[in-house]
Amino acid sequence: MIYGIVLAGGNSQRFGSDIPKQFIDLAGKPLVLWSVSTFSRVRDFRKLIVVLPEKWFEFGKMTVLSYLQDERLQFVAGGSTRTDSLVKALAFVKEKYGVKDEDIAVTHDAARPFVKSEHIVSSIKMCENSSAVTLALPVIDTIAICERDRIVSLTDRKRTFAVQTPQTFKIKTFLELFERLTEEQRSALTDATGVFVVNDVPVSILEGDPRNIKVTTQLDMVMAEAIARSLSE
Ligand SMILES: C[C@](O)(CO)[C@H](O)COP(=O)(O)O
């Protein structure tokens, strides 16, 4: 079985709005609806789980349901971090449907509105022969590792990638590997692939898309509006 999980549980601290950014309008519909609608076009999913902030749970649920009718939709209240929210969604799947070795989750940031259904489908295909798959793009800037405002080293740009979502993986493997992590390792995670990397389990890369931006700041929303306009031209 394949489950789609859209992570919309953040509280938009870096965006700095009263209402979480996933509910703010982007070119005619709330930001969260862009990715949830794309996931909804993929028929491979048994269920489509949207993780919402606990404080905005009813509002978020009504927002999604007022734009989209899909009998596969399920809603889960998120935790205080991205990792907590992801683990809560996977625990929900395990408890409600059970998890077999081959079951797959396709996880995605609601903050990335321009995910393509082709990427979702390709990542599912790749994951049949891999424990985990992520979209990623080679970086175009030079990336520095810094300590106390000083550069201590530079990464090898030819081997440095910017990681995007969807991130697709075998649910059972993720949960087993997550169990092995220390609290410190868990709190350092910023994405799902970290669970595999820390445990030395290879993660396959699927070439990402420069338009698959993450709306984190107000400026990103301006860029997202421009991308949305270019897509409708
Ligand atoms: C998963 C991610 O999109 C990969 O680049 C990113 O780490 C998410 O970060 P956020 O802090 O949850 O926006």
Side-chain angles (χ1 to χ4, degrees), residues 119-184:
H119 279 136
I120 297 172
V121 172
S122 304
S123 76
I124 294 170
K125 218 72 258 73
M126 271 177 86
C127 195
E128 283 163 11
N129 301 309
S130 181
S131 295
V133 178
T134 188
L135 255 68
L137 267 187
V139 297
I140 46 176
D141 295 318
T142 296
I143 305 293
I145 311 292
C146 301
E147 270 167 29
R148 279 179 254 103
D149 295 339
R150 294 269 166 91
I151 291 181
V152 290
S153 63
L154 296 172
T155 66
D156 173 0
R157 193 165 68 175
K158 290 194 281 306
R159 296 196 297 138
T160 305
F161 285 71
V163 172
Q164 301 184 334
T165 62
Q167 299 188 319
T168 303
F169 50 82
K170 302 265 168 49
I171 301 172
K172 208 165 169 201
T173 311
F174 178 100
L175 291 172
E176 282 167 10
L177 296 176
F178 187 76
E179 276 303 306
R180 294 188 204 159
L181 299 187
T182 63
E183 268 316 313
E184 200 182 347

Side-chain angles (χ1 to χ4, degrees), residues 7 10 14 21 81-83 107-109 111-112 134-135 162-165 167 189-193 212 214-216:
L7 296 166
R14 291 166 292 180
K21 65 180 184 232
T81 64
R82 184 185 196 279
T83 303
T107 65
H108 183 67
D109 297 322
R112 295 186 187 272
T134 188
L135 255 68
V163 172
Q164 301 184 334
T165 62
Q167 299 188 319
L189 293 170
T190 57
D191 80 331
T193 69
N212 185 22
K214 179 158 70 72
V215 177
T216 305

